[in-house]
Amino acid sequence: MEQDIYDVIIIGGGPAGMYAAFYSGMREMKTKIIEAKQELGGFMRTYPEKLVWDVGGIGPVRCEEIIHSLIRQAATFDPSIVFGQEIVQMEKRDDGIFILTADSGEKHYTRTIILATGRGITSIQKLAVEGADRFELSNLHYTVTSINKFKDKRVLISGGGDSAVDWAVAMAPLAKEVYVVHRRDDFSAFESSVTEMKSLATVYVPYTVARLHGHEGRIGSVTLQHADSQETVQLEVDEVLVNHGFERNFGGAILEWGLEHEEFGISVSPVMHTSMPGIFGAGDIVTHAGKVRLIAGAFNDAVLAVNSAKLYIDPTGSKMAGVSSHNDRFADKNEEERQKYRASQGK
């Protein structure tokens, strides 16, 4: 049976993977995305309601909207997309073709690979309080699917990272009261966000959630305990949100490939080369001296990884794609957009 060989297979369908698919289309590469879940979006799917402020040229926008925009953009040059398959094995033939085997047994063939698996296999770090699981179907939350659920409520948020701080700021205008409890004095979030949070919410540091008091299957109050003095405080609450981060296995089977890696990522060069020729990386899966762990950083990684993959296949090729305003791949698409604009203006 004839093998369908791709120029690049992108493993992972988060922001880095989706933008890599778009950019590889600009470079006229035959592209496939393989995503272990049944939808694109990656870790951003965890916080669909979260407002993102730090994407260049875009005002505050919900994660879900960014995901939908990236999906539309990734589809521009019609890449193949495979859902529900986790890559469990990789081998390289003598002719340089990589063979990727999924947990389903299906094999995929490609000249290059871009690893864009983000944070890898993650599991939520749950609240380590006896009986907490009893309230997970009522008012103990680990994610926010609708911020309006917290309207006019007394909300306690446990955590000290960006998510906890950002949610406190977002909920403060609509909640009746927002309490933030963190086990340390310092927060590991952007300084400006922490300052804003402290002006909007009641903050308890260094405290931990020691006990949940329930009535009819719902949390009615929470006991907090000071980390040093053991002093306790009891607060009446309507909703509890826990943002303690995620336990992360960033590599999964990928670590068995023999790639050089550090504690929090596959090691790459400044242009996204891994230690194995023909394999590149982008997004949260990789680490390097200048790594920027923002969505904007993932986009830049993706461009560099695609350009490196293109040059691996064709060392005489251009070092980067032509900008979209002068790229022949957009000629027909630009005309379609002009016609849509004229029609909208009644011209």
Side-chain angles (χ1 to χ4, degrees):
M1 183 173 67
E2 185 177 350
Q3 297 163 350
D4 195 6
I5 300 175
Y6 286 80
D7 292 321
V8 60
I9 286 182
I10 301 161
I11 304 177
M18 287 188 282
Y19 196 73
F22 165 73
Y23 196 79
S24 63
M26 290 180 66
R27 303 232 56 180
E28 299 186 85
M29 300 173 74
K30 184 178 180 180
T31 305
K32 176 186 283 187
I33 298 176
I34 301 177
E35 167 56 49
K37 296 182 179 179
Q38 295 296 335
E39 59 186 359
L40 298 174
F43 193 73
M44 291 180 68
R45 290 282 184 186
T46 308
Y47 304 111
E49 288 279 333
K50 186 175 180 180
L51 283 176
V52 178
W53 291 72
D54 50 14
V55 177
I58 299 176
V61 59
R62 292 167 59 247
C63 266
E64 191 170 41
E65 294 178 47
I66 297 177
I67 293 169
H68 291 161
S69 294
L70 282 168
I71 289 172
R72 289 192 296 271
Q73 186 180 47
T76 302
F77 299 105
D78 301 315
S80 296
I81 304 177
V82 176
F83 292 109
Q85 291 190 21
E86 181 180 344
I87 299 302
V88 295
Q89 184 178 343
M90 180 277 296
E91 57 183 306
K92 192 174 186 180
R93 298 192 319 207
D94 292 340
D95 63 357
I97 298 299
F98 292 97
I99 305 173
L100 298 173
T101 304
D103 52 0
S104 65
E106 184 174 348
K107 294 185 182 298
H108 306 270
Y109 301 85
T110 181
R111 294 179 175 84
T112 64
I113 298 168
I114 294 178
L115 302 175
T117 54
R119 303 188 182 198
I121 302 169
T122 59
S123 58
I124 293 173
Q125 291 192 38
K126 294 194 174 184
L127 186 64
V129 173
E130 183 179 357
D133 57 332
R134 294 185 291 122
F135 304 107
E136 289 181 9
L137 297 179
S138 56
N139 61 339
L140 175 61
H141 313 277
Y142 292 99
T143 61
V144 177
T145 55
S146 174
I147 196 171
N148 288 327
K149 184 179 183 67
F150 301 87
K151 182 177 175 61
D152 298 324
K153 301 289 183 66
R154 296 166 298 183
V155 184
L156 183 140
I157 301 174
S158 180
D162 286 311
S163 294
V165 171
D166 289 348
W167 280 128
V169 171
M171 290 181 186
L174 57 88
K176 182 178 181 180
E177 186 74 47
V178 174
Y179 308 106
V180 178
V181 54
H182 181 41
R183 61 182 177 171
R184 299 189 182 94
D185 290 313
D186 297 326
F187 288 82
S188 57
F190 287 114
E191 293 89 342
S192 59
S193 298
V194 173
T195 300
E196 185 176 8
M197 175 200 67
K198 289 180 176 179
S199 72
L200 297 171
T202 303
V203 178
Y204 290 89
V205 293
Y207 277 85
T208 60
V209 176
R211 188 176 177 187
L212 305 175
H213 307 277
H215 178 66
E216 296 183 350
R218 292 182 61 85
I219 301 168
S221 64
V222 174
T223 296
L224 308 181
Q225 186 173 61
H226 194 278
D228 299 321
S229 68
Q230 308 305 306
E231 173 192 0
T232 61
V233 177
Q234 188 162 330
L235 301 173
E236 293 185 356
V237 299
D238 300 304
E239 307 287 343
V240 175
L241 173 62
V242 177
N243 288 147
H244 289 179
F246 293 80
E247 295 178 354
R248 175 186 180 197
N249 178 357
F250 76 85
I254 292 171
L255 293 183
E256 300 174 5
W257 297 4
L259 297 170
E260 292 182 7
H261 63 276
E262 300 175 33
E263 184 179 1
F264 293 111
I266 301 296
S267 302
V268 293
S269 73
V271 288
M272 302 303 118
H273 288 256
T274 70
S275 59
M276 188 173 293
I279 302 181
F280 310 90
D284 280 344
I285 184 64
V286 303
T287 185
H288 56 88
K291 179 64 183 169
V292 176
R293 296 195 181 278
L294 296 173
I295 295 173
F299 296 159
N300 189 63
D301 288 352
V303 170
L304 293 170
V306 170
N307 285 335
S308 291
K310 179 72 174 182
L311 291 172
Y312 177 83
I313 296 171
D314 179 12
T316 65
S318 172
K319 292 184 178 180
M320 62 177 289
V323 296
S324 59
S325 58
H326 296 83
N327 191 312
D328 291 341
R329 297 228 71 189
F330 290 95
D332 293 338
K333 298 181 186 298
N334 285 339
E335 183 57 34
E336 290 174 10
E337 293 300 319
R338 292 189 189 98
Q339 290 179 9
K340 288 179 184 178
Y341 175 77
R342 294 190 190 103
S344 69
Q345 299 299 308
K347 297 179 180 179

